[in-house]
Amino acid sequence: SGHQPCMAGDGKEIRKILDLLLHNIMRDLEQMNRMTVGAIEDYLDSILRGADKLTENLFYEEKVPAIKDSWESFAVVDCMNPIRDHQSHAVGTILIKLYARQNPYGTKNSGKLFEMEKALNRIIEDADDEHYFITRMGAYADYDAVNDIFFDIVQLNLIIT
């Protein structure tokens, strides 16, 4: 009673399975590449940098750069928090630190910081990317005693698909 071994199918079916596996591997690789700090910074730079956006003085580092006298304001994007991979998507927290020169009286320039935060809110609202989704989590104020400058920190939630 000779049983025939179970066959996976002909060559066309095997080719379809291999093509599907390759497609899934490539999709996963593309998603992993979108999760790199460099890719995230490139995306954020594309929506934040510019006179008609948040600021032309935009930096990606934890430390405040040497502040030029000509700058009325600048921003530092802090991507130092981990991006967590959840297989189907990734999630992370980004801090946008908004800096404005003090008023002539040496006090916080709340008006300029408010303008910058409103511009950031518009950018977040208008952001339209098929892979990067940004929501605002909150904000708080701080002071940099070393550089004698006030700043606001806006905490963003980033989802990557």
Side-chain angles (χ1 to χ4, degrees):
S1 69
H3 284 88
Q4 294 290 330
C6 188
M7 301 299 281
D10 63 17
K12 288 181 184 180
E13 287 181 33
I14 292 172
R15 180 69 183 166
K16 282 182 186 179
I17 292 169
L18 290 174
D19 285 346
L20 181 61
L21 286 172
L22 181 60
H23 172 76
N24 288 341
I25 290 168
M26 294 305 291
R27 185 194 64 220
D28 291 346
L29 181 59
E30 288 171 8
Q31 183 181 8
M32 282 191 303
N33 287 340
R34 286 190 295 273
M35 289 184 236
T36 64
V37 173
I40 293 166
E41 288 177 350
D42 283 349
Y43 169 68
L44 293 170
D45 201 73
S46 74
I47 63 171
L48 298 175
R49 184 182 302 278
D52 60 332
K53 297 179 181 177
L54 181 61
T55 181
E56 290 187 27
N57 304 316
L58 187 65
F59 304 93
Y60 294 86
E61 49 203 55
E62 175 91 8
K63 185 178 168 189
V64 175
I67 303 168
K68 295 184 180 177
D69 290 337
S70 61
W71 296 351
E72 180 183 346
S73 63
F74 65 96
V76 175
V77 178
D78 181 347
C79 294
M80 301 288 283
N81 297 304
I83 302 296
R84 290 173 198 82
D85 185 352
H86 297 280
Q87 300 304 315
S88 64
H89 66 285
V91 178
T93 301
I94 307 294
L95 302 178
I96 309 292
K97 299 175 182 178
L98 307 172
Y99 292 82
R101 285 215 180 273
Q102 295 176 359
N103 287 318
Y105 311 108
T107 59
K108 181 178 179 178
N109 191 342
S110 297
K112 181 60 181 172
L113 289 170
F114 180 56
E115 287 176 24
M116 292 178 75
E117 198 165 338
K118 285 192 308 184
L120 180 59
N121 289 340
R122 278 191 305 277
I123 290 166
I124 293 166
E125 182 69 28
D126 294 343
D128 184 24
D129 188 273
E130 67 178 308
H131 299 293
Y132 295 99
F133 303 93
I134 302 172
T135 57
R136 183 186 160 111
M137 296 175 66
Y140 51 98
D142 207 341
Y143 175 73
D144 178 346
V146 172
N147 292 299
D148 189 31
I149 192 166
F150 292 93
F151 63 103
D152 289 345
I153 300 171
V154 180
Q155 187 175 6
L156 304 178
N157 185 47
L158 176 65
I159 299 171
I160 306 166
T161 61

